Amino acid sequence: MRVILQRARGASVTIPGSDGPRTVGSFEGPGLVALVGVTHGDDAETAAALAEKTAGLRIMSDHERSEISCTDLGAPVLVVSQFTLYGDVRKGRRPSWSQAAPGEASEPIVEAYAQRLRELGLEVPTGEFGADMQVSLVNDGPVTLILDSEQLGRPPRG
């Protein structure tokens, strides 16, 4: 499982439609945008571990303190499914998506990630799984991190 975290001052997800775009998830003020990709073998336990890491990372700040977590700040996390995080571009010019789990397997894992964040007390707006979404955000810092479940259990290098 991979999560791209971006610290943001505001974010929204809209879905185009015949009556104009429809906003399905948003927040104003400080928070995180989490683009979530699922691969084969990921499960609810993997999702919970990455959600706990997301909520506890000390990458937020307020006027009085720096290096605090979303949990400390009460900041929201906008969760958007992103199968393209498992795109393989090593050969040719067309990405391969074979490492991305199929929708029916990945949707409950993305939901488990969002649900664990909610259980940790965070507001969690979401995109709409499988929809053509437009994500808008104001990246704060900019701060962008990659969380990869394969690397969580490994000791740091150097």
Side-chain angles (χ1 to χ4, degrees):
M1 189 168 172
R2 289 186 182 143
V3 178
I4 306 298
L5 288 178
Q6 294 183 303
R7 187 173 74 186
R9 292 183 183 223
S12 65
V13 176
T14 58
I15 298 174
S18 58
D19 297 334
R22 174 174 54 98
T23 300
V24 294
S26 66
F27 68 84
E28 292 185 25
L32 292 176
V33 174
L35 306 175
V36 181
V38 178
T39 191
H40 308 282
D42 287 340
D43 56 19
E45 186 177 311
T46 307
L50 284 176
E52 290 166 15
K53 187 68 153 178
T54 298
L57 278 173
R58 295 173 55 174
I59 58 173
M60 304 301 293
S61 63
D62 64 9
H63 298 296
E64 300 162 9
R65 305 171 288 178
S66 62
E67 298 183 1
I68 59 176
S69 69
C70 277
T71 303
D72 296 330
L73 191 57
V77 180
L78 174 62
V79 174
V80 180
S81 63
Q82 183 92 34
F83 79 93
T84 61
L85 293 180
Y86 279 98
D88 184 348
V89 296
R90 291 178 289 182
K91 292 176 16 181
R93 295 182 302 167
R94 182 174 293 150
S96 167
W97 311 114
S98 64
Q99 293 304 307
E104 60 274 4
S106 58
E107 185 174 9
I109 306 301
V110 174
E111 180 52 39
Y113 174 82
Q115 183 57 37
R116 182 62 185 136
L117 290 169
R118 289 183 190 105
E119 290 167 0
L120 293 168
L122 299 175
E123 175 190 346
V124 185
T126 64
E128 189 173 295
F129 195 90
D132 177 22
M133 298 177 278
Q134 277 72 61
V135 180
S136 299
L137 70 133
V138 176
N139 196 314
D140 182 18
V143 173
T144 302
L145 298 170
I146 302 169
L147 304 181
D148 193 320
S149 59
E150 289 185 22
Q151 296 177 347
L152 279 183
R154 295 181 184 169
R157 288 191 248 177

